[in-house]
Amino acid sequence: MRTIISLTPSSVVASIAMVVNLSFLLLLLFVSTFVSSANAKATVSISPKTLNRSGDSVAIKWSGVESPSDLDWLGIYSPPNSPHDHFIGYKLLNASSTWRSGSGSISLPLTNIRSNYSFRIFRWTQSEIDPKHLDHDQNPLPGTKHLLAESEELSFGSGVGKPEQIHLAFEDKDNGMRVTFVAGDGEERFVRYGEGKERLGNSAPARGVRYEREHMCNAPANTTIGWRDPGWIFYAVMKNLNGGVRYYYQGWSEIHSFIARDVYAEETIAFMFGDMGCATPYTTFIRTQDESISTLKWILRDIEALGDKPALVSHIGDISYARGYSWVWDEFFAQIEPVASRVPYHVCIGNHEYDFPAQPWKPDWAAWTYGNDGGGECGVPYSMRFNMPGNSSEPTGTKAPPTRNLYYSYDVGSVHFVYISTETNFLKGGRQYEFVKRDLESVDRENTPFVVVQGHRPMYTTSNEVRDAMIRQKMVEHLEPLFVENDVTLALWGHVHRYERFCPMRNNTCGKLWRGSPVHLVIGMAGQDWQPIWEPRPNHHPGLPIFPQPEQSMYRTGEFGYTRLVANKEKLTVSFVGNHDGEVHDTVEMLVSGEVISGSKEDTVNTVAASATLVGKAESNVSWYVKGAGLMVMGVLLGFIIGFFTKGKKGSSSGTRWIPVKNEETWYWRSEST
């Protein structure tokens, strides 16, 4: 029997619609399954999910990255809900030896910045490199269009409230010591201290302060990319200390100790340097300073070898190089804590802490000198995170609180230490000038026969720091007469990332004694690796050194390191310690009689007449700006081509990156702004 099916037009349309709908649903299911499967392949995990304290490491593992590229990268985020382009740092996945398989792992030590972390993996292609979206070194910043995977949140087990970033400083009174630390909340805290770990019977209240984003003066410090909550900064003063005695203190789980200041100590010991910065375990928007790790390693070695002898650290400007990226300050203080929790850590302000376009003191002759080197911080983090002796301050002219820690002094043993600011008014008639004048005139040379003055920008240097030529002239005109008239022993400067020692100097001329002719040292070699060239020989002829060493310059080198000062009533000795081996490479002795004793200059170093100027002449600036501009253009082009692909500027901190002393032709390394 034959069955006849009758199809009406309406039933045909309905059947076709049903088939189309079914096919569409199947297609959606296929696409959804395919996409979900593709997305599910890339995963990232962390272990552990909780860290105990700053410096502990997290292992970050990923897998399932299809067709891995050497541009794939891991973003580090805090807070964890930050926008994709608001990372605090990143690592290329090719940092893992197994990255080509689509799987790998990276271990990162992290600093507690009072919020959780998260980690994200991105795909970035050559076609997406944006030549206008660059970091501070003119390398392209990674793109964030293609998110492959995101981790769970990482927290710190102690919570955000645990005090960290502990550092000491002398207090105004001789028998006090100030301790500063950071916590995530403003709850009242106390520091217990005493002469034994089990005898912490004294208590000092800790006062909490903070600063806000609106206090920042410019980008990036006041932008959502650069700003992170700085937490609460606490100050406590441990009082009525006996000089030269070891004290233990605690306001957290760990117990630390220090030797109280002894103004009558038979021996004074200090570790002194400038321009150190800090290292980070990731690449970020600005260059960080791997060499700072070695500097602190050798200083810590020296401190531990002292036993119960007191010492201090002097860091003369360009402190963290945060330049508006606030978490870099956290990285810096976490890095120095092993040193700064044991000995007082004293500072003076540099251009990278302060300079901003609207700064109140910017005379016409300094228009080329003061720019935006502070990254919009206008001295606020520096002023709040440190608390030096004295009460010097200057208004910022903005909503920001006054800039502090500008100029001050103290005595330790046979040495009177003076700190000045080269970023604010130092001219005759100003408040700082009057302070320096009164201070130097009031020094008791029976108790402190040696006077050491420290500031950031140098009064003398043989580097080609043309931008600062006028400020050097003004320093010679206004400050040097005070140094000469009051028999300053030693003047220490940073800013130039070299070590250089001069003869006893007065008005650009060598003297025989330090009395009336202070010895000048440039000590900005502690970490930052932008190396300015030496001042080149005018009208260079083949066969002659390009960078001749004037006779006033007794020793100079491009090696990283720090200086060690040791003084008693009869003699003050300064030694330069090189980071590549931790050994002394230069020494100068200043006797109380005024005599200066030092090693002879290298025979292989060519010199020019002692009449050659070290201060720099303003009328030559324009030609050097033109030449400098040409070098900068070439540098940008070369840096863009090789910088991104090599990614070699940070390298391994254990590598040898020092420059030989004797070969002047190799001293040209990088020519950039300090």
Side-chain angles (χ1 to χ4, degrees), residues 61-90:
K61 298 181 180 180
W62 65 89
S63 62
V65 175
E66 294 189 344
S67 304
S69 161
D70 59 2
L71 293 182
D72 295 339
W73 61 282
L74 172 77
I76 303 152
Y77 293 86
S78 184
N81 60 349
S82 300
H84 288 338
D85 61 346
H86 284 38
F87 50 80
I88 67 168
Y90 67 92

Side-chain angles (χ1 to χ4, degrees), residues 4-75:
I4 299 175
I5 301 176
S6 176
L7 296 176
T8 64
S10 60
S11 65
V12 171
V13 171
S15 298
I16 293 174
M18 182 178 66
V19 171
V20 170
N21 288 337
L22 181 61
S23 299
F24 183 69
L25 288 172
L26 289 172
L27 178 62
L28 285 178
L29 180 62
F30 171 78
V31 171
S32 175
T33 302
F34 175 80
V35 171
S36 297
S37 174
N39 287 341
K41 285 183 178 178
T43 62
V44 58
S45 62
I46 57 175
S47 178
K49 295 182 175 61
T50 301
L51 300 180
N52 290 324
R53 60 161 297 141
S54 289
D56 289 351
S57 293
V58 58
I60 306 162
K61 298 181 180 180
W62 65 89
S63 62
V65 175
E66 294 189 344
S67 304
S69 161
D70 59 2
L71 293 182
D72 295 339
W73 61 282
L74 172 77

Side-chain angles (χ1 to χ4, degrees), residues 375-520:
E377 293 182 353
C378 51
V380 175
Y382 168 84
S383 298
M384 302 292 281
R385 289 175 175 267
F386 290 105
N387 196 342
M388 298 293 103
N391 57 0
S392 63
S393 68
E394 295 287 347
T396 59
T398 68
K399 295 180 180 179
T403 307
R404 303 188 308 156
N405 308 320
L406 296 174
Y407 42 90
Y408 60 95
S409 66
Y410 56 81
D411 294 337
V412 177
S414 59
V415 182
H416 180 72
F417 293 94
V418 185
Y419 295 75
I420 66 172
S421 165
T422 59
E423 309 309 301
T424 55
N425 187 3
F426 57 80
L427 303 185
K428 189 173 184 178
R431 283 186 290 181
Q432 178 171 205
Y433 178 92
E434 293 303 320
F435 166 82
V436 175
K437 184 176 185 295
R438 288 194 307 269
D439 185 84
L440 293 179
E441 290 174 348
S442 64
V443 175
D444 182 349
R445 302 310 282 260
E446 290 295 323
N447 290 326
T448 53
F450 301 107
V451 176
V452 177
V453 176
Q454 300 152 88
H456 184 58
R457 298 182 197 250
M459 185 180 294
Y460 292 107
T461 175
T462 64
S463 75
N464 191 29
E465 279 296 306
V466 182
R467 189 179 75 160
D468 290 341
M470 281 303 301
I471 197 172
R472 292 198 294 273
Q473 287 190 18
K474 295 297 182 181
M475 291 170 72
V476 169
E477 178 184 350
H478 292 263
L479 293 178
E480 187 176 57
L482 294 180
F483 296 2
V484 169
E485 293 165 10
N486 293 283
D487 286 336
V488 168
T489 311
L490 178 67
L492 299 174
W493 314 102
H495 194 57
V496 176
H497 307 141
R498 304 282 194 178
Y499 171 78
E500 184 166 27
R501 174 173 57 83
F502 292 94
C503 61
M505 292 283 287
R506 178 180 183 178
N507 194 24
N508 205 47
T509 304
C510 285
K512 294 183 178 180
L513 304 177
W514 62 258
R515 292 189 180 277
S517 298
V519 174
H520 289 255

Side-chain angles (χ1 to χ4, degrees), residues 71-263:
L71 293 182
D72 295 339
W73 61 282
L74 172 77
I76 303 152
Y77 293 86
S78 184
N81 60 349
S82 300
H84 288 338
D85 61 346
H86 284 38
F87 50 80
I88 67 168
Y90 67 92
K91 296 279 288 186
L92 294 176
L93 298 193
N94 63 19
S96 171
S97 61
T98 60
W99 70 275
R100 294 184 186 278
S101 69
S103 301
S105 64
I106 293 175
S107 179
L108 288 177
L110 294 178
T111 296
N112 183 355
I113 59 174
R114 299 160 301 282
S115 64
N116 290 351
Y117 283 83
S118 68
F119 308 90
R120 306 170 199 172
I121 291 180
F122 292 90
R123 168 63 44 82
W124 185 32
T125 65
Q126 289 281 350
S127 63
E128 293 171 334
I129 294 177
D130 183 357
K132 296 181 180 179
H133 189 47
L134 306 175
D135 65 15
H136 193 264
D137 278 334
Q138 305 301 306
N139 294 321
L141 288 165
T144 59
K145 288 184 179 179
H146 311 294
L147 175 67
L148 301 183
E150 185 170 2
S151 75
E152 299 178 79
E153 292 189 13
L154 172 76
S155 63
F156 281 83
S158 57
V160 299
K162 179 184 177 183
E164 292 195 350
Q165 305 178 26
I166 301 155
H167 52 105
L168 300 169
F170 291 141
E171 212 262 330
D172 289 327
K173 295 182 178 180
D174 295 343
N175 63 350
M177 184 73 77
R178 180 178 284 113
V179 58
T180 302
F181 56 87
V182 174
D185 61 68
E187 291 184 8
E188 185 178 26
R189 288 172 166 82
F190 292 87
V191 175
R192 298 186 302 127
Y193 63 98
E195 295 187 23
K197 291 183 179 180
E198 308 299 327
R199 294 181 288 138
L200 305 178
N202 303 299
S203 180
R207 177 176 60 91
V209 297
R210 60 178 285 118
Y211 56 92
E212 306 295 343
R213 179 178 163 188
E214 55 264 29
H215 292 148
M216 303 295 103
C217 303
N218 209 341
N222 61 3
T223 67
T224 54
I225 289 183
W227 173 259
R228 296 295 187 278
D229 189 322
W232 286 79
I233 302 153
F234 288 84
Y235 315 125
V237 176
M238 294 173 277
K239 302 178 179 179
N240 301 318
L241 307 178
N242 296 313
V245 173
R246 180 175 294 278
Y247 282 85
Y248 297 84
Y249 66 104
Q250 181 185 38
W252 34 86
S253 57
E254 298 91 349
I255 296 177
H256 298 277
S257 70
F258 63 89
I259 307 295
R261 172 165 49 150
D262 186 356
V263 294

